[in-house]
Amino acid sequence: MSAEPQTPSGQETPGGRAAPSGPESPEDLTVRDPVSAPDAEGRPRRVTRRFPLFTKDTARPEGGGRAAPGDAPAPARQWPVLAVLGLAGIGLLVTAFGQFRVGTLLIGVALLGGGAMRWLLPDVGMLAVRSRFTDIVTYGGLGLVIVMLALMAQPKPLLQIPFLQDTLHFTVTNE
């Protein structure tokens, strides 16, 4: 006979735990093993630290809840991502009509706004993609780079960084 717990019919249960029998409710069960946890029915089961072969669910990112109450229409619940996408779309449209600097500035400002919303608001809906820190760094970094490039674009750049011009002349010479 094995040391594993057995059911009243003498069969061993998976995970080495006896299945509750009779009028026992999940509240009456105690979990003694530090690496066991109750399953969906409340019975204790042994938990492994291995990753499952097939992922059945993913965790929602921190702050990924609705940005408005659940009874609000879908666009109202996702207003942060719609604001960022809307402003970026307007920036692309302005760029398509020949105003490169203004359009790219709008795109960069949209990303910076997304980073600011991710930082300040507790729930931003689908704007939350990764952890809060990673989203802020990604949105803010990309937004800052796009704004800086828009300000330095030729002709007549609004922002001139001297060492960049010296670097360009050093790398591209006529000699």
Side-chain angles (χ1 to χ4, degrees), residues 105-138:
L105 277 172
L106 285 174
I107 294 169
V109 167
L111 288 172
L112 287 172
M117 281 191 279
R118 189 68 174 101
W119 184 19
L120 298 173
L121 300 177
D123 291 319
V124 291
M126 289 175 25
L127 190 62
V129 179
R130 296 158 297 266
S131 70
R132 186 177 302 273
F133 175 78
T134 305
D135 283 343
I136 292 169
V137 169
T138 303

Side-chain angles (χ1 to χ4, degrees), residues 33-94:
D33 193 355
V35 291
S36 64
D39 62 5
E41 288 81 32
R43 294 182 308 244
R45 67 178 175 85
R46 187 155 180 87
V47 179
T48 179
R49 294 184 67 161
R50 277 192 224 171
F51 289 108
L53 185 59
F54 298 104
T55 303
K56 296 179 182 167
D57 195 13
T58 57
R60 177 179 285 177
E62 173 192 356
R66 294 182 176 120
D71 58 348
R77 291 191 309 257
Q78 298 299 333
W79 70 267
V81 73
L82 291 176
V84 171
L85 289 175
L87 189 57
I90 291 171
L92 288 172
L93 192 63
V94 169

Side-chain angles (χ1 to χ4, degrees), residues 4-27:
E4 295 290 327
Q6 298 179 351
T7 60
S9 62
Q11 297 176 346
E12 292 182 8
T13 58
R17 297 281 184 208
S21 61
E24 287 186 26
S25 66
E27 293 83 26

